[in-house]
Amino acid sequence: MTTGLAGDLRDALPGVPVVDDPDALSAYARDQVPGLPAGKPAAAVFPAETAEVQEIMRIASRTGTPVVTQGAATGLAGAANAVDGCLILSTRRMDRILEIDAAEGIAVVQPGVVNARLREAAQRDGRFYPPDPGSFEACTIGGNVATGAGGMCCVKYGVTADYVRALEVVLADGSVLRTGRRTVKGVAGYDLVKLFTGSEGTLGVITEVTVALRAAPAPPRTVVAEFGSLAAAGAAISAVLAGGATPSLVEILDRTTLAAIESWQPLGIGSDVAALVLLQSDAADADAQTEAWSGVLEGTEATGVYKADDAAESELLMQARRLAYPALERLGGTLLDDVAVPRGALTTLIEGVERIAAAHGLTIGVFGHAGDGNLHPTIVYDRAEPDGERRAFAAFDDIVSLALDLGGTVTGEHGVGLLKRSWLARELDPVALRVHASIKAALDPAGLLNPSKVFEATAG
Amino acid sequence: MTTGLAGDLRDALPGVPVVDDPDALSAYARDQVPGLPAGKPAAAVFPAETAEVQEIMRIASRTGTPVVTQGAATGLAGAANAVDGCLILSTRRMDRILEIDAAEGIAVVQPGVVNARLREAAQRDGRFYPPDPGSFEACTIGGNVATGAGGMCCVKYGVTADYVRALEVVLADGSVLRTGRRTVKGVAGYDLVKLFTGSEGTLGVITEVTVALRAAPAPPRTVVAEFGSLAAAGAAISAVLAGGATPSLVEILDRTTLAAIESWQPLGIGSDVAALVLLQSDAADADAQTEAWSGVLEGTEATGVYKADDAAESELLMQARRLAYPALERLGGTLLDDVAVPRGALTTLIEGVERIAAAHGLTIGVFGHAGDGNLHPTIVYDRAEPDGERRAFAAFDDIVSLALDLGGTVTGEHGVGLLKRSWLARELDPVALRVHASIKAALDPAGLLNPSKVFEATAG
């Protein structure tokens, strides 16, 4: 709101880039979701150090300027969208890997470090940072922590929250909170690390992240199975997992998604295939494991089971999964959902989405993390049709509603942001919303940090 | 404080047992730690249902009565100790297992369910609830969640917090918060489940817990190795773990602990053994795994390596670990510590404890969870000596201080309670303490829930 904001920032922080040209600022207005509100920022600032973030927050507090923190803005819920008159606090220049301690299995990074860079650095030291959001080549660790990001690894390795050991956070008033620890275990005080993880920039600005690393896995081996019905696919997944198997990946693609892939880059998947299931093992005995799973799958109603014999063939079998979203994107505008249901409700959810697609006369492809019950129904709409986006959102609402009815959650790994804000109020009860508001008020009394995201501060 | 408290409770909750006889109440004054302050409760109440807990909290709020929630009172930090005039809210009668869904891998229980009962019930359905605090035959799931309890399984399976999916909590004003979810993944809103887990009764009364279950493991196989020095033991553990091994147990016992065992129930461990290391595998190929680890251990400075050939022999090898604490308890009064350090600092910590024991002229046995860097130095003192307890606490302080100096934490799994309250203020910085106080004030503005525990509400 303050016209002198950019000037204040430049005066206080010589050497820190500040952008206030309206055309240049438009690049910072929104993340990857179309159709959500995005305001006009007053300025964007690019600190490189924690002390600079402190100064920025002091200026914001003094001038009553809302602050929206952005990493790579690859988010899928509008959490990083600008609000009118806000300051965009970009973490892009906070991109240093501060420490990798391979023996302890710990990395300490600034928030702007790109996920893939941390993975590579860990790998060079024989270590493995598992969380692998789809955007891992662009997204930042700070954004991953802020949104509680997931990925394909979660069925075996868990989500980002499971890897965050310690955080440094600049609070609304500019003070620095250091919380968490380097040790494997620890219960000293409230778990503030988990409170900030997934809070989507509403409670503080994450300025340093300590994550756990694991031993490097073996090169993965892949098994793919085709099914004539969703129910058969669901039963087959259960059959494999029932034996206590720990695949490092369990993905599913439905008929609509497969058709979109075939019409673009034919992989030879027949139109009679209702679902494709991919399993991977990255264990030391990956070959034996995938061999065993192939045996289990062949005893199910699978109409075809293919097992990779080496890493290259494994990669090839993964192609369908990698093409899923881009193949659907080619068909028109897309709206990507992110619901999670109990694992037993997985095929019921996909069947329900097929009914919703028919009812709305829309194409909706479903793919996702079957092992976690976390799916990404992707609604395709005609951008040229005036009513297209509205119709897509209507189908979207039906899908989220169905997931809740099945005992699920409105977001498995993408977060609430603006996209699911009204839905959060349905998933949570009024007491939970009131507790959210009271914690927000305790940590950010002036409501400057990412206002209007996740929940309305007046909720409850 | 209110003389009419018991009467109010009896009037409002017919059928709910209320104890106000001072002699009977003395049984509820403290947990398992000697030497910590414990006040006189005004009454104890034993609800069986959430609605009764709500009514109790409404009465407590109206009358300004502090409420101390107790499970089995097996805690090791004084967190469940009474404060003067408080109401003891016992969860003993809230002991129903409400649901076990083996297919989804979920159990829903009331807080008073004993850990061992949940383990047995899960096992009957082919499932496994891993968290296994030392007191698992007596302690309750509610207490485990409130303290963030650990155990011997953690090196492979993680701690209690890693298993809690959802909680029902009665807040200070009597309202009921339901938070979390049944799905594997989910990022809708702040992680209130983790905020309440480990909050030691200071933020609400846990009335229902939904935990994740795993596939049942194979019967464990044990390997034991003897070492002539602590450094050799530490190097050997690192050698086994470096290969990415995932033992289900990695425990260590030092010379002092071994001597205490030998003087009571001789197992034939020579006095030249400086450290005994136990490893277990519960994987499908446990025999092959422990065979491989034996091979690695034989290549280290181990002076003896023994591998169990079956489950019975495995049990036998575990005897030393099970005797560790009772053997030390036989020698006098004991003060059990619970520090955690980075894994690489493990032997430095044990060597430091040996120096501290010598400096204070005390016997201090060290045993614990070597795979997590979480040790339980146990100080033995002469109860008859007037100054004994004070001297024990002086040595205790030196150990905690050493753990912090080594980059560790003051409590790995027992919690802060009263025992480590002054230490929390040293581990956390003033900003972190201020955030703790602000969250406490947001959720319990009158400060009725377990006052004076974990941190002073006036902190920061």
Side-chain angles (χ1 to χ4, degrees):
Chain A
M1 309 293 176
T2 324
T3 50
L5 178 64
D8 285 356
L9 291 164
R10 288 188 184 111
D11 288 350
L13 298 162
V16 173
V18 176
V19 171
D20 62 347
D21 173 74
D23 289 343
L25 281 175
S26 67
Y28 303 98
R30 57 170 68 247
D31 68 12
Q32 302 292 309
V33 198
L36 292 177
K40 282 194 198 316
V45 62
F46 301 81
E49 301 295 341
T50 300
E52 294 166 358
V53 175
Q54 289 187 267
E55 188 56 32
I56 291 164
M57 286 312 305
R58 281 187 213 111
I59 292 171
S61 283
R62 203 174 61 227
T63 58
T65 307
V67 173
V68 176
T69 307
Q70 277 184 2
T74 52
L76 295 164
N81 282 15
V83 299
D84 277 334
C86 79
L87 175 62
I88 298 288
L89 192 164
S90 168
T91 62
R92 287 185 191 192
R93 290 179 66 239
M94 304 184 80
D95 63 353
R96 279 180 297 139
I97 295 175
L98 302 170
E99 178 188 354
I100 290 194
D101 184 332
E104 288 298 327
I106 283 176
V108 184
V109 303
Q110 285 192 306
V113 169
V114 169
N115 180 295
R117 295 297 88 70
L118 174 57
R119 295 169 74 84
E120 290 157 9
Q123 203 168 12
R124 279 195 294 276
D125 280 339
R127 292 278 151 180
F128 176 40
Y129 178 67
D132 59 347
S135 57
F136 74 96
E137 288 178 339
C139 65
T140 63
I141 297 299
N144 295 171
V145 174
T147 57
M152 291 203 254
C153 74
C154 307
V155 66
K156 178 169 179 178
Y157 293 108
V159 297
T160 299
D162 297 316
Y163 290 84
V164 187
R165 290 246 181 111
L167 291 175
E168 181 189 81
V169 182
V170 174
L171 301 176
D173 65 1
S175 57
V176 178
L177 169 69
R178 293 191 70 92
T179 182
R181 55 193 65 82
R182 291 169 67 95
T183 55
V184 181
K185 283 163 87 176
V187 289
Y190 299 156
D191 192 344
L192 301 181
V193 168
K194 292 291 197 301
L195 181 64
F196 283 94
T197 301
S199 66
E200 303 188 24
T202 64
L203 299 179
V205 181
I206 295 166
T207 50
E208 190 185 293
V209 183
T210 302
V211 294
L213 305 175
R214 297 181 63 114
R221 285 285 184 281
T222 308
V223 185
V224 172
E226 296 176 344
F227 297 90
S229 75
L230 287 164
I237 293 170
S238 297
V240 172
L241 295 180
T246 53
S248 54
L249 174 152
V250 184
E251 297 287 313
I252 193 166
L253 291 79
D254 80 338
R255 187 193 301 273
T256 305
T257 307
L258 295 170
I261 294 168
E262 281 301 307
S263 74
W264 178 35
Q265 298 197 21
L267 301 174
I269 300 162
S271 59
D272 54 332
V273 178
L276 194 77
V277 172
L278 300 103
L279 295 160
Q280 275 192 344
S281 169
D282 64 0
D285 59 343
D287 210 54
Q289 285 200 351
T290 48
E291 186 67 36
W293 303 341
S294 294
V296 174
L297 289 167
E298 274 157 8
T300 69
E301 290 177 49
T303 53
V305 179
Y306 312 95
K307 180 181 163 298
D309 288 323
D310 56 36
E313 215 175 290
S314 234
E315 262 309 285
L316 214 66
L317 290 182
M318 278 296 291
Q319 255 198 306
R321 176 60 181 87
R322 249 182 287 281
L323 293 172
Y325 187 59
L328 290 163
E329 270 189 313
R330 282 181 65 250
L331 305 180
T334 53
L335 191 57
L336 182 70
D337 208 338
D338 166 50
V339 290
V341 293
R343 278 189 277 226
L346 189 80
T347 55
T348 310
L349 176 67
I350 303 178
E351 286 161 3
V353 172
E354 289 183 349
R355 278 196 305 276
I356 291 166
H360 289 268
L362 286 164
T363 298
I364 310 181
V366 182
F367 60 92
H369 318 306
D372 296 317
N374 180 201
L375 295 175
H376 299 308
T378 301
I379 303 163
V380 181
Y381 63 93
D382 186 349
R383 279 200 201 86
E385 188 196 323
D387 207 27
E389 199 172 276
R390 193 201 55 77
R391 285 176 56 217
F393 271 103
F396 182 89
D397 280 356
D398 285 352
I399 294 170
V400 181
S401 184
L402 173 61
L404 280 181
D405 290 346
L406 292 171
T409 175
V410 303
T411 173
E413 57 180 15
H414 292 172
V416 176
L418 293 168
L419 184 65
K420 298 279 176 74
R421 198 179 56 177
S422 63
W423 284 104
L424 188 76
R426 190 165 145 194
E427 179 166 337
L428 304 188
D429 64 23
V431 175
L433 285 170
R434 201 180 72 210
V435 171
H436 275 71
S438 72
I439 290 173
K440 168 76 173 172
L443 285 165
D444 178 22
L448 296 179
L449 290 162
N450 213 8
S452 76
K453 309 299 172 56
V454 187
F455 61 97
E456 291 286 3
T458 54
Chain B
M1 312 290 174
T2 325
T3 49
L5 177 65
D8 286 356
L9 291 164
R10 289 190 183 108
D11 288 350
L13 297 162
V16 173
V18 175
V19 171
D20 62 346
D21 173 75
D23 288 344
L25 281 173
S26 68
Y28 304 98
R30 58 170 68 248
D31 68 11
Q32 301 293 310
V33 197
L36 291 177
K40 283 193 198 315
V45 62
F46 300 81
E49 301 295 340
T50 300
E52 294 166 357
V53 175
Q54 289 187 268
E55 187 55 33
I56 291 165
M57 287 311 305
R58 282 187 214 110
I59 292 171
S61 282
R62 203 174 61 226
T63 57
T65 307
V67 174
V68 177
T69 307
Q70 277 185 2
T74 52
L76 294 164
N81 282 16
V83 298
D84 277 334
C86 78
L87 175 62
I88 297 290
L89 192 163
S90 168
T91 61
R92 285 185 193 192
R93 290 178 67 240
M94 305 185 80
D95 63 353
R96 280 180 297 139
I97 294 176
L98 303 171
E99 179 189 352
I100 290 195
D101 184 332
E104 287 298 327
I106 282 177
V108 184
V109 303
Q110 286 191 305
V113 169
V114 168
N115 180 295
R117 296 295 90 69
L118 173 58
R119 295 168 74 83
E120 289 157 10
Q123 203 168 12
R124 279 194 295 275
D125 280 339
R127 292 278 151 181
F128 175 40
Y129 177 67
D132 60 346
S135 57
F136 74 96
E137 288 178 341
C139 64
T140 64
I141 298 298
N144 294 171
V145 174
T147 57
M152 289 203 253
C153 74
C154 307
V155 66
K156 178 170 178 178
Y157 293 109
V159 295
T160 299
D162 296 317
Y163 290 84
V164 187
R165 289 244 182 111
L167 291 175
E168 181 189 81
V169 182
V170 174
L171 301 177
D173 65 1
S175 57
V176 177
L177 168 70
R178 293 191 69 91
T179 183
R181 54 194 66 83
R182 291 170 68 95
T183 55
V184 181
K185 283 162 87 175
V187 289
Y190 299 156
D191 193 344
L192 301 181
V193 168
K194 292 292 197 300
L195 182 63
F196 284 95
T197 302
S199 65
E200 303 188 24
T202 63
L203 299 179
V205 181
I206 294 166
T207 50
E208 190 185 293
V209 183
T210 302
V211 293
L213 305 175
R214 298 181 63 114
R221 285 284 183 281
T222 309
V223 185
V224 173
E226 296 176 345
F227 297 89
S229 75
L230 286 164
I237 292 170
S238 298
V240 172
L241 296 179
T246 54
S248 53
L249 175 151
V250 184
E251 297 287 312
I252 192 166
L253 291 80
D254 80 337
R255 186 193 301 272
T256 306
T257 307
L258 295 170
I261 294 168
E262 281 300 307
S263 73
W264 178 35
Q265 300 197 19
L267 300 173
I269 300 162
S271 60
D272 54 333
V273 178
L276 193 77
V277 172
L278 300 102
L279 294 160
Q280 274 192 344
S281 168
D282 63 1
D285 59 342
D287 210 55
Q289 285 199 352
T290 47
E291 186 66 37
W293 303 340
S294 293
V296 174
L297 289 168
E298 275 158 8
T300 69
E301 290 177 48
T303 52
V305 178
Y306 312 94
K307 180 182 162 297
D309 287 324
D310 56 36
E313 214 175 291
S314 236
E315 262 309 285
L316 214 67
L317 289 182
M318 277 296 290
Q319 256 199 307
R321 176 60 180 87
R322 248 183 287 281
L323 294 173
Y325 187 57
L328 290 163
E329 270 189 311
R330 281 182 67 250
L331 305 181
T334 53
L335 191 57
L336 182 69
D337 208 336
D338 166 51
V339 290
V341 293
R343 278 189 276 227
L346 189 81
T347 54
T348 311
L349 176 67
I350 303 178
E351 287 161 2
V353 173
E354 289 184 349
R355 276 196 305 277
I356 290 166
H360 290 266
L362 287 163
T363 298
I364 309 181
V366 182
F367 60 92
H369 317 306
D372 297 317
N374 179 201
L375 295 176
H376 299 308
T378 300
I379 304 163
V380 181
Y381 62 93
D382 186 349
R383 279 201 201 85
E385 190 197 323
D387 205 28
E389 199 172 275
R390 193 201 56 74
R391 284 176 56 217
F393 271 103
F396 182 89
D397 281 357
D398 285 353
I399 294 170
V400 181
S401 182
L402 173 62
L404 280 180
D405 290 347
L406 292 171
T409 175
V410 303
T411 173
E413 57 180 15
H414 293 172
V416 176
L418 292 168
L419 184 64
K420 298 279 177 74
R421 197 178 59 176
S422 63
W423 284 103
L424 188 75
R426 189 166 147 192
E427 179 166 338
L428 304 188
D429 63 24
V431 175
L433 285 170
R434 202 180 71 211
V435 171
H436 274 70
S438 72
I439 290 173
K440 169 76 173 172
L443 286 164
D444 178 22
L448 296 179
L449 291 162
N450 212 9
S452 77
K453 309 299 172 57
V454 186
F455 60 96
E456 291 287 3
T458 53

